[in-house]
Amino acid sequence: MGVSVARIRVLVVDDHRIFAESLAAALAAEPDVDVSAAGSGPAALRCLERAAAEGRRYDVMLVDAELGINATGGARGVPAPRGAPDGMPAAGPVDGISLVAGVRSGQPQIRTVVLAEKDDPRRAAMALQAGASGWVAKDCSLQRLLTVIRGVLRDETHLPAALLTGVLRELTAARKHRTESEQLVESLTPREREVLRCMVAGLGRKAVAERLFLSPHTVRTHMQNVLGKLGVHSTLAAVALARRAGVGPAALTGDVVERGGQLA
């Protein structure tokens, strides 16, 4: 009688068709690996949805670092498939880093590894922050890639040695910026924080006033105070700082809200 081998289910996501198919074929030759390939972010989400519905979720997802960028010069916004896993964004970009973040949120048991054509400490740090477990060169050996795949399933994090210093520097800087942003947000009064959350949600002055039962003049004063305390000169800068500090948007209710002075 043969011995049952636990199989690793891998999804390769790359919009370079020849590379995706070649890598999938190489991995499929391994006795303990089942592999599928997807040529885009939306296709990957459909694969994840179908696998989850059938009770055979993927274990590891290999994602192109430049997914959705090279072909168009920028990431594209597309809706996730109907019935996407819990936590998946209803709509979002399909670049590699965003796909990693969406899968981390929707199916956290899946380990993701980013495949890159070149070393990039900043992008690698972004990938780790998004939830990736590894960053690997596309031209690495098959054995190296298999080592990483099996390693991340043991909750290991894999980075090329040449990237380690740069990635640590980027992560340290990001943590410092987040801490500084958190301290600035903590200087706000409870009412000012409410106003800031409304700003993060994209509400204009009139909508904030209606939501918080304040006069537009009072809201204007609060917004000016928020900008002053945060040390910024625009709503966009305040929103960016708030997001770094982990401030989420106010929950929107109702069918019509004012966004930036226009009805949406």
Side-chain angles (χ1 to χ4, degrees), residues 36 42 51 55 72 74 116 127-128 133 136 147 154 156 160 163 165 171 180 187 194 198 206 218 225 230 236 261:
S36 301
T72 63
L128 293 181
S133 297
V136 181
T147 296
R154 296 191 296 268
E156 298 172 0
L163 271 181
T165 299
L171 292 175
E180 292 174 346
S187 72
E194 286 184 291
C198 289
K206 181 180 177 182
T218 299
N225 290 340
L230 297 184
L236 287 176

Side-chain angles (χ1 to χ4, degrees), residues 5 7-8 24-35 142-143 146 149-150:
V5 177
R7 303 187 69 80
I8 303 170
L27 291 171
E30 294 297 312
D32 62 340
V33 176
D34 288 330
V35 61
L142 180 61
Q143 288 307 310
L146 288 168
I149 288 173
R150 294 183 173 111

Side-chain angles (χ1 to χ4, degrees), residues 18-235:
I18 294 177
F19 175 83
E21 291 179 349
S22 298
L23 179 57
L27 291 171
E30 294 297 312
D32 62 340
V33 176
D34 288 330
V35 61
S36 301
S40 68
L45 292 174
R46 288 193 293 271
C47 287
L48 294 171
E49 173 197 359
R50 186 164 55 249
E54 295 173 355
R56 50 184 188 88
R57 296 176 185 269
Y58 288 96
D59 301 302
V60 178
M61 184 174 68
L62 307 178
V63 184
D64 177 19
E66 302 299 324
L67 181 73
I69 295 178
N70 291 334
T72 63
R76 301 182 297 274
V78 297
R82 181 175 299 177
D86 292 342
M88 283 289 190
V94 293
D95 64 281
I97 304 301
S98 295
L99 180 60
V100 169
V103 171
R104 178 64 175 174
S105 174
Q107 295 194 35
Q109 77 283 352
I110 297 177
R111 300 295 182 262
T112 57
V113 176
V114 177
L115 306 177
E117 292 184 356
K118 59 183 179 180
D119 287 345
D120 186 335
R122 181 173 177 274
R123 291 281 291 175
M126 290 172 61
L128 293 181
Q129 288 176 311
S133 297
W135 176 282
V136 181
K138 280 191 171 184
D139 60 359
C140 75
S141 68
L142 180 61
Q143 288 307 310
R144 167 61 182 163
L145 182 57
L146 288 168
T147 296
V148 172
I149 288 173
R150 294 183 173 111
V152 298
L153 287 175
R154 296 191 296 268
D155 289 328
E156 298 172 0
T157 299
H158 285 257
L159 282 173
L163 271 181
L164 188 57
T165 299
V167 168
L168 289 176
R169 186 183 299 116
E170 292 288 339
L171 292 175
T172 299
R175 188 178 301 111
K176 177 182 177 182
H177 291 156
R178 180 179 177 87
T179 300
E180 292 174 346
S181 299
E182 290 173 340
Q183 291 174 346
L184 290 171
V185 169
E186 287 174 359
S187 72
L188 303 178
T189 66
R191 177 63 82 184
E192 289 166 350
R193 291 183 196 177
E194 286 184 291
V195 170
L196 179 59
R197 292 185 65 231
C198 289
M199 293 164 67
V200 173
L203 299 182
R205 189 188 308 165
K206 181 180 177 182
V208 176
E210 293 175 350
R211 177 184 177 80
L212 300 181
F213 303 102
L214 301 171
S215 71
H217 176 75
T218 299
V219 170
R220 179 183 179 185
T221 299
H222 282 314
M223 286 183 166
Q224 290 175 337
N225 290 340
V226 168
L227 297 183
K229 290 184 178 181
L230 297 184
V232 296
H233 301 287
S234 69
T235 297

